[in-house]
Amino acid sequence: MENFLLLGICFGLGLLFRRLPQFPENTPKVLNGFILFISLPSLVLYHVHELKINVSAIMPTSMPWLVFGFALVFFLILYKLKIMSFPTTVCLVLTAGLGNTSFVGFPLLETYLGKESLGYGILADQLGTFMVLSFPGIILASIAMDGKWDIITLVKRVLGFAPIYALVFAIVTRQIVYPDSLKIVLLRLGDTLTPLALVSVGFMLDLRTIAGHGKYLLLGLGFKLVFAPILVYYVYRPIQNDQLLFQTILLESAMAPMVTSTVITIEKNISPHLASLMLGIGIPLSFLTTYCLNFLIKGNFI
């Protein structure tokens, strides 16, 4: 409950700050910079270092790659059909193709399936969602920002993504035990990600822009909250005998758009108003859709 309360307060603060003269227009840019260079690397350093990896990790970590790949194909087809522009396409791939598998995902998993599901949830988030964002996600965002495919520029963009260095460092030092004091610092710095990101998105959120983005918003949220879980259900149905694993993967696929991918989309000016709408409307809407999905799961309808 406190996570949902935090979400509402931070969105509200963002909307309020937008109207106060003390907060200039570049407020989201400053907040996003702190998130990408401090908050997210801190979380990566802690969670990837502490992650326990085994054979069962394959299934939950593969789901975000599948959803992202399907989103890429789906929205690129719509782009080729001239239904949307390339920036809009990339915006929807990054927001509808990546899920909020941690901040919203973890508390919802614990509520619906119990603490036992969190191990699978962490694997889906850290080795799935974050890896997708760090490599194909950043590459796609860079292409949209630069307007061309240039391998040298793409490499520079990926290497300029600070969490990549945190990821490499966390993997290299997995055999080294972090001091408890360092773990506490990393966790506290990482805890700033969600509040700052939600304030930033709230600051950017302008519901008046729905009129110009309504069709794309419906496509994006329809894909993320409805079509993606249907796809995942049919792909992973062979493992449904492992009930907890199957249900965790299915629910994680149905989560709202990812906060960090939305921040990056806004930061790189790739249809930023649409991105903020995807997150701002997607998160509260996902509470309803995941509740319905959980009801179907528990009622053995699927």
Side-chain angles (χ1 to χ4, degrees):
M1 188 65 192
E2 59 270 18
N3 285 290
F4 301 152
L5 181 61
L6 176 65
L7 183 149
I9 289 174
C10 290
F11 268 129
L13 287 175
L15 292 168
L16 173 64
F17 293 164
R18 182 189 181 98
R19 290 159 176 76
L20 297 179
Q22 292 87 348
F23 294 87
E25 284 296 317
N26 67 340
T27 294
K29 187 175 183 65
V30 175
L31 294 177
N32 295 346
F34 188 92
I35 290 166
L36 296 177
F37 284 90
I38 304 296
S39 307
L40 184 56
S42 298
L43 277 181
V44 172
L45 280 172
Y46 179 83
H47 286 293
V48 173
H49 181 270
E50 299 294 307
L51 204 56
K52 301 295 186 290
I53 303 174
N54 51 41
V55 176
S56 63
I58 297 174
M59 288 300 177
T61 57
S62 64
M63 179 273 292
W65 291 89
L66 172 73
V67 172
F68 184 84
F70 187 61
L72 183 63
V73 172
F74 178 73
F75 290 114
L76 279 178
I77 289 174
L78 295 182
Y79 166 67
K80 290 295 184 181
L81 294 174
K82 301 186 185 304
I83 293 175
M84 59 182 66
S85 67
F86 188 66
T88 298
T89 301
V90 173
C91 174
L92 291 179
V93 172
L94 291 175
T95 53
L98 289 162
N100 198 323
T101 49
S102 55
F103 173 70
V104 173
F106 294 166
L108 287 183
L109 283 180
E110 186 174 353
T111 300
Y112 295 145
L113 303 178
K115 290 182 181 295
E116 299 79 9
S117 64
L118 292 180
Y120 292 135
I122 291 172
L123 289 169
D125 181 67
Q126 294 297 310
L127 297 184
T129 305
F130 177 73
M131 291 292 193
V132 176
L133 173 67
S134 299
F135 295 101
I138 289 298
I139 289 173
L140 186 61
S142 299
I143 293 172
M145 187 175 68
D146 297 329
K148 60 181 179 179
W149 174 279
D150 180 71
I151 188 64
I152 296 177
T153 302
L154 291 178
V155 170
K156 288 180 179 178
R157 297 290 187 196
V158 172
L159 293 179
F161 187 49
I164 291 291
Y165 298 99
L167 175 65
V168 173
F169 186 82
I171 293 173
V172 170
T173 60
R174 277 180 59 82
Q175 302 305 315
I176 300 174
V177 178
Y178 285 176
D180 289 339
S181 56
L182 177 59
K183 291 181 182 179
I184 292 172
V185 170
L186 290 175
L187 277 176
R188 289 189 175 178
L189 287 173
D191 284 343
T192 63
L193 187 149
T194 297
L196 292 181
L198 293 174
V199 169
S200 174
V201 171
F203 194 100
M204 284 286 300
L205 186 62
D206 186 354
L207 295 178
R208 293 172 299 181
T209 62
I210 290 180
H213 297 293
K215 176 175 66 175
Y216 308 124
L217 184 64
L218 184 62
L219 275 171
L221 291 180
F223 176 90
K224 185 70 200 76
L225 302 179
V226 180
F227 294 122
I230 291 174
L231 169 72
V232 168
Y233 169 76
Y234 282 106
V235 170
Y236 291 88
R237 187 165 53 171
I239 66 164
Q240 62 182 327
N241 287 335
D242 190 336
Q243 193 175 61
L244 182 63
L245 175 61
F246 176 69
Q247 291 178 353
T248 301
I249 291 173
L250 189 56
L251 278 170
E252 281 284 55
S253 73
M255 296 302 165
M258 184 185 189
V259 171
T260 310
S261 67
T262 304
V263 168
I264 290 172
T265 306
I266 293 171
E267 174 69 14
K268 295 186 180 297
N269 200 34
I270 305 169
S271 296
H273 291 297
L274 175 59
S276 64
L277 287 170
M278 283 288 292
L279 187 64
I281 296 176
I283 288 180
L285 186 58
S286 71
F287 298 156
L288 173 62
T289 55
T290 54
Y291 177 84
C292 293
L293 179 60
N294 182 61
F295 174 78
L296 292 173
I297 291 173
K298 296 295 178 62
N300 296 316
F301 293 108
I302 61 175

